[in-house]
Amino acid sequence: MSEKPNALSAPDLLHQLADFHKVATTFTGWDGSEQPVSDSTLRSVLSAMGLATGSEQDLERSLAESKTAAWKRVLPPTVVVRRGKPGTVPVHLPPGSSAQLTLHLEEGSAQELDWPSAPVEERDVDGAAVARTLVPLPAGLDLGWHRLEVHCGDISGSAVLVVTPDRLDTADALQDRRAWGVQAQLYSVRSSRSWGIGDLTDLADLAAVAGTDYDAGFVLINPLHAAEPVPPIEPSPYLPTTRRFFNPLYIRVEAVPEYAYLPDSQRQAAEEAARSLYPANTSSAELDRDASYAAKLEVLQDVYRVKRSPSRQKQFHAFTADAGQGLENFARWCALAEELAPGAPEWAEATGPESDYVVSQLPRLQDRIDFFKWLQWICDEQLEAVQRAAKKAGMGIGVIHDLAVGVHPSGADAWMLRDVLTAGISVGAPPDMFNQRGQDWSQPPWHPGRLAESGYAAYRDMIRTILRHAGGIRVDHILGLIRLWWIPQGAESPGEGAYVYYDHEAMIGILALEAQRAGAVVIGEDLGVFEPWVQEYLAERGVMGTSILWFEQTEDGPRAPEDYRTGALTSVNTHDLPPTAGYLAGEHVNLRESLGLLNRPVEEERKADSEAQEAVLDALRQRGLLPESVAGQVAGQMHGEEVQQTVEALHEFILQTPSVLLGVALADLVGEKKTQNQPGTADEYPNWRIPLCGPDGEPVLLDDLERNDRFRSLAALMQKGI
C-alpha cells in the first residue's frame, strides 16, 4: 500500500505526541551541548502517562485523541488564574448554545456569569460540531478554591477554579528588616532529655535560645515527613513514606498531656525506657532511630489508651474531621504496613484504601487505625507548641519546614495517591559533572494530567498540612514544580530519561496561595541547571531563591556579596556538603575518594578544590574580613582558632549581601566537621545518622549551647550584622 500524501512518519508522530504532552525531546548536557532523548525513552514516558505508543497506528490515534480531548469536555477540570489579572474559562458546547454558568465561591455564595454573544472557534469532533466559547471571569475574585458549573439542557459540567496571588507578599516585611536563622537537622540536635534523637521539644528550645538571646528570626529544619509506621525506618528525611503527614519519631513523649495520668507501673516503665536512651544523647556514635522509635511507640501506645478528658477528646475528633479522608487513608496504610512487609502477597489485594481486601480488614484494624490518627494529632499539637514558642522568643518567621522532592515508591503516598502519581517511572537527574551516569531518586512523580483532573487536591492538602503550624516552607528542588527528569523503569542508567514539564502556573500558584493564607514565606532550592527564565519567574511570584556561598561564581571568580539576590536565603553551605570547618579541610574530597566517587585523580580534585577555596578566601582578605596570615589549603591546613576565624569571616561575607534571609548551619555554630549526607551513596556512608558534635568529635547538647563559645561568638556576629 502506498504511503498517504504528507503522512507523518512514526518518529515525527512520536515527537509531536511528546511535544503535545510537554515531554522534552532533547536536554542540555552537563557540557552545554544539546542531547537527544531516545525514541525508546519517549515511548516509555508517554506510555506511563497512559498513551498508546506501540505502533504507528497507536501513535496516530493517541495524537488525534490528545488534540480533541479538551474539546470533548464541557469545562476543563481545573482553571488556575491570578488575582487581579483578566481570566477566561473555555466552554465547549454545540454551536448556537446559550448556557447557564454559575460561579460558586468558596465562602458559600454564588453568582451567574454572563454568556458571551459568540464562540471564538468551532471544530468537528468525532463527526459533531463543537463550539468553544471563552467566558470572562469577574474582576476582583477573592483568593481561594471556587467551583464553576455549566448547565445547557441535558449537558452539564463543572470545574475547580483556583484564584492564586499574582505575587506572594509574605516576605515583603523582610525588605525593612531582614532575618538570620539557624539551619538544623533536628534528629541530630539532642538534649539531656531526648530519647537518643532530637525531638519537637528540643526544636522549641533551640528556637528559644536563638530567638531570645540572638534575635534569630527563624529555624529551618530537615523534612519531618513520616517514615515507616514501625521500625526499621528509612534514615533519609528526603525519602519519606508520605509528604503530607509527620514522623512520630519527633514526639516528646513526656509532653503529651495524658502521659501524666499513666498508671504507676506504666509510668515507671516509661521512665525506665527514657533513662535507657539517655546515654545515647552523649554518644558520638551513629544515631539509632530504630531504637528510639521502638521505645517511644511502646510508651505512646500506653499513653494512647489513657482516657482523655471531654475537651481533649473533642479536640481529637475535630482534628480527625478536619484532616478528613486523607488522614483515614494514611492511618489505614500504617495499620497494614505494621503487619505486612514490603512485597508481602497481601499487598496484591490491598491495592488501595478502598479495595475489598482493606475494607474487609477494617473491623479488625480499627483500633490501630485510630492509634495512628492519634499519633498525627500529637504531632500536630507539638508542632503548634513549637511555632508558638518560636514566636514568643521573638522570631518573626519561626519554623521553616523543608519539603522533599518525592516519596518512597512503596510508601503510603504511593499507595493512597496512585491515581495522581505515575507508575513505572522514577524521578532523578540527568548526567552532570559530579554524577556522570545521572541520578535516580527512586520516587514516583506526579502525573500532570491526573493531578489537574483531581483539582490538585492532594498537592494542596500536602502544602496546607505542612504550613498549618509554620512560618515558612523550603521546597527542595523547586525546579521539580516546573519540570522533572522522568526515568522509565528498566532504563540502563538514569541518563536514559526525559524532562516532563508541569503546569507551573498551577503548581507555583497553588503553593503561593496556601502560603499566603498561612502567612508563610516560601524558599525555593533553585540550585543546578535550569532555564534562565525560571529564577525570574519565581521571583515575580514572590518565591525566594537559594544562594550558597561556595556555588556563587561568575566568569571572573567568586560573586561579590553586593551582587547576590535580595530575594533569597543565603548561607555559606548546605547539608550536602561538610560543615564549613570540614569543607575548609577538604573533607568532602577525602570522603568522595574513599568511596570511589571521584571522576578524576584525587590530586587533580584536591588541587581544583584548593584553588576554588583560595579564590573565596582571597575575596575575604580583599575586604578586610580575613588576615593575610590565615592560610587555606593551598598553603597548608589551617590550625586552631584560624578555622573558627575563617568560619566567622565567611559569615561576615554573606552579611554584606542584600539577601533578606541569612542561614547559619547549627553545625557551623558549634564547629562540627562531619557531613550529614554524601550524595551518590546509600549505605556506603552513614547518611543522616551523624549526631551534632563539636570540633573535638564530642556531642554538643542543647543544654550547653548558651555556654558554647563558638555558638555565642558566631550567633552574636549574625545578631550584630543583621
Side-chain angles (χ1 to χ4, degrees), residues 579-582 643-644 647 664-674 692-698 700 705 708-711 714:
T580 304
V643 174
Q644 181 66 14
V647 169
V664 183
L666 182 57
D668 284 351
L669 282 158
V670 301
E672 169 69 279
K673 293 181 179 178
K674 288 185 178 180
L692 183 69
C693 294
D696 56 0
E698 292 300 312
V700 175
L705 279 187
N708 186 293
D709 290 339
R710 284 181 170 80
F711 180 91
L714 183 49

Side-chain angles (χ1 to χ4, degrees), residues 532-615:
W533 62 269
V534 169
Q535 287 188 335
E536 294 178 6
Y537 173 78
L538 293 173
E540 172 201 332
R541 301 305 302 270
V543 175
M544 288 182 283
T546 299
S547 293
I548 306 298
L549 182 150
W550 300 113
F551 300 160
E552 288 290 328
Q553 299 288 328
T554 70
E555 292 181 358
D556 299 323
R559 190 181 307 280
E562 54 269 18
D563 293 336
Y564 277 54
R565 289 178 288 173
T566 299
L569 167 65
T570 292
S571 60
V572 173
N573 65 3
T574 174
H575 58 248
D576 287 336
L577 294 175
T580 304
Y583 192 81
L584 290 169
E587 290 295 332
H588 51 302
V589 177
N590 297 337
L591 179 58
R592 288 165 63 203
E593 181 200 13
S594 69
L595 297 171
L597 298 176
L598 295 180
N599 297 322
R600 55 184 170 182
V602 66
E603 294 78 12
E604 291 183 25
E605 191 75 23
R606 287 201 179 103
K607 184 175 184 294
D609 184 65
S610 295
E611 290 174 350
Q613 283 195 33
E614 183 58 28

Side-chain angles (χ1 to χ4, degrees), residues 332-657:
R332 289 182 182 184
W333 180 86
C334 289
L336 287 168
E338 183 180 33
E339 296 183 349
L340 305 177
E346 289 86 350
W347 287 114
E349 296 182 71
T351 53
E354 300 297 336
S355 63
D356 291 342
Y357 176 86
V358 173
V359 172
S360 72
Q361 300 298 307
L362 292 182
R364 181 179 67 83
L365 296 175
Q366 193 57 57
D367 183 65
R368 298 307 293 167
I369 292 171
D370 287 344
F371 172 65
F372 288 111
K373 289 182 182 179
W374 177 83
L375 286 177
Q376 289 305 307
W377 177 50
I378 298 303
C379 286
D380 182 79
E381 286 197 320
Q382 295 197 1
L383 285 164
E384 182 182 22
V386 170
Q387 181 66 357
R388 186 167 60 247
K391 288 289 192 174
K392 284 186 175 180
M395 287 188 164
I397 297 173
V399 178
I400 300 178
H401 286 278
D402 201 351
L403 174 66
V405 176
V407 294
H408 197 289
S410 300
D413 277 1
W415 182 74
M416 62 187 181
L417 301 179
R418 61 177 55 198
D419 289 346
V420 291
L421 294 175
T422 311
I425 294 290
S426 180
V427 170
D432 59 32
M433 63 184 299
F434 297 107
N435 295 276
Q436 294 185 2
R437 285 178 54 83
Q439 299 177 60
D440 186 341
W441 301 333
S442 303
Q443 299 169 337
W446 295 116
H447 187 295
R450 293 180 198 148
L451 198 57
E453 291 280 348
S454 70
Y456 292 90
Y459 176 62
R460 173 202 63 201
D461 292 345
M462 174 188 74
I463 297 168
R464 187 176 291 177
T465 302
I466 293 171
L467 290 177
R468 183 174 160 93
H469 304 300
I473 184 171
R474 173 193 177 271
V475 182
D476 193 42
H477 191 59
I478 197 168
L479 306 180
L481 301 183
I482 297 172
R483 70 175 189 184
L484 273 174
W485 184 255
W486 284 27
I487 306 165
Q489 281 184 0
E492 292 185 6
S493 75
E496 296 296 317
Y499 277 117
V500 174
Y501 285 78
Y502 290 79
D503 182 347
H504 60 269
E505 273 290 299
M507 301 296 281
I508 300 298
I510 291 169
L511 173 63
L513 169 61
E514 293 303 319
Q516 188 74 45
R517 290 183 147 186
V521 300
V522 176
I523 302 159
E525 189 266 292
D526 55 357
L527 307 174
V529 179
F530 49 86
E531 290 92 337
W533 62 269
V534 169
Q535 287 188 335
E536 294 178 6
Y537 173 78
L538 293 173
E540 172 201 332
R541 301 305 302 270
V543 175
M544 288 182 283
T546 299
S547 293
I548 306 298
L549 182 150
W550 300 113
F551 300 160
E552 288 290 328
Q553 299 288 328
T554 70
E555 292 181 358
D556 299 323
R559 190 181 307 280
E562 54 269 18
D563 293 336
Y564 277 54
R565 289 178 288 173
T566 299
L569 167 65
T570 292
S571 60
V572 173
N573 65 3
T574 174
H575 58 248
D576 287 336
L577 294 175
T580 304
Y583 192 81
L584 290 169
E587 290 295 332
H588 51 302
V589 177
N590 297 337
L591 179 58
R592 288 165 63 203
E593 181 200 13
S594 69
L595 297 171
L597 298 176
L598 295 180
N599 297 322
R600 55 184 170 182
V602 66
E603 294 78 12
E604 291 183 25
E605 191 75 23
R606 287 201 179 103
K607 184 175 184 294
D609 184 65
S610 295
E611 290 174 350
Q613 283 195 33
E614 183 58 28
V616 172
L617 298 184
D618 190 53
L620 301 184
R621 297 186 190 103
Q622 290 176 19
R623 290 175 176 267
L625 302 176
L626 192 67
E628 293 288 341
S629 59
V630 177
Q633 290 186 58
V634 172
Q637 297 293 338
M638 295 179 186
H639 301 284
E641 292 305 310
E642 289 183 339
V643 174
Q644 181 66 14
Q645 190 176 8
T646 306
V647 169
E648 295 194 4
L650 289 163
H651 286 86
E652 281 192 89
F653 185 87
I654 66 170
L655 278 166
Q656 294 184 2
T657 72

